[in-house]
Amino acid sequence: LSPCLSATAIRRMASRIIVKNLPNHATEQRLRDHFAAYGEVTDCRLKLTPDGRSRGFAFIGFRRGSEAEEAVKRLNRSFFDTARLSVEHAHAPGVSGAARPWSR
């Protein structure tokens, strides 16, 4: 991990997940409701383009890392409506070892 990240930031990232391959009609409230079965959702950020369309992914924060771990285990490769989700632990920006996008 990056030496410039505080211990608090590292713990916070351990309780955040990224949800990919969301359908275009997904909303933050529906995501909160869907993930609340696995723990207390502290925040939900659906990423949008500048013109307001969904980018197909969201970040979801849980109160505890164990809740995030349970959500990853249970919901990775599960379905949200007709879309098969990819659910992973979120990495802090600039962390080495994080997957790099193939394009720039």
Side-chain angles (χ1 to χ4, degrees):
L1 292 174
S2 173
C4 63
L5 289 175
S6 69
T8 303
I10 292 167
R11 279 194 303 276
R12 187 176 70 238
M13 292 309 294
S15 66
R16 290 183 62 78
I17 61 174
I18 183 169
V19 183
K20 303 175 189 175
N21 198 37
L22 289 168
N24 291 334
H25 60 272
T27 64
E28 287 186 359
Q29 188 57 51
R30 286 197 58 219
L31 287 171
R32 279 181 180 275
D33 295 344
H34 189 70
F35 282 84
Y38 301 96
E40 184 181 346
V41 175
T42 57
D43 66 290
C44 179
R45 300 281 186 258
L46 183 63
K47 294 306 192 177
L48 305 173
T49 62
D51 62 350
R53 292 182 303 139
S54 173
R55 291 184 60 195
F57 72 96
F59 292 100
I60 298 177
F62 287 91
R63 176 72 56 203
R64 290 178 282 291
S66 60
E67 296 169 343
E69 180 65 32
E70 186 68 16
V72 169
K73 278 197 265 186
R74 301 277 185 174
L75 295 174
N76 188 35
R77 298 179 52 87
S78 68
F79 285 89
F80 184 81
D81 295 338
T82 59
R84 182 175 238 163
L85 301 178
S86 172
V87 182
E88 305 169 1
H89 288 281
H91 297 285
V95 171
S96 62
R100 301 239 343 139
W102 62 271
S103 64
R104 290 196 173 249

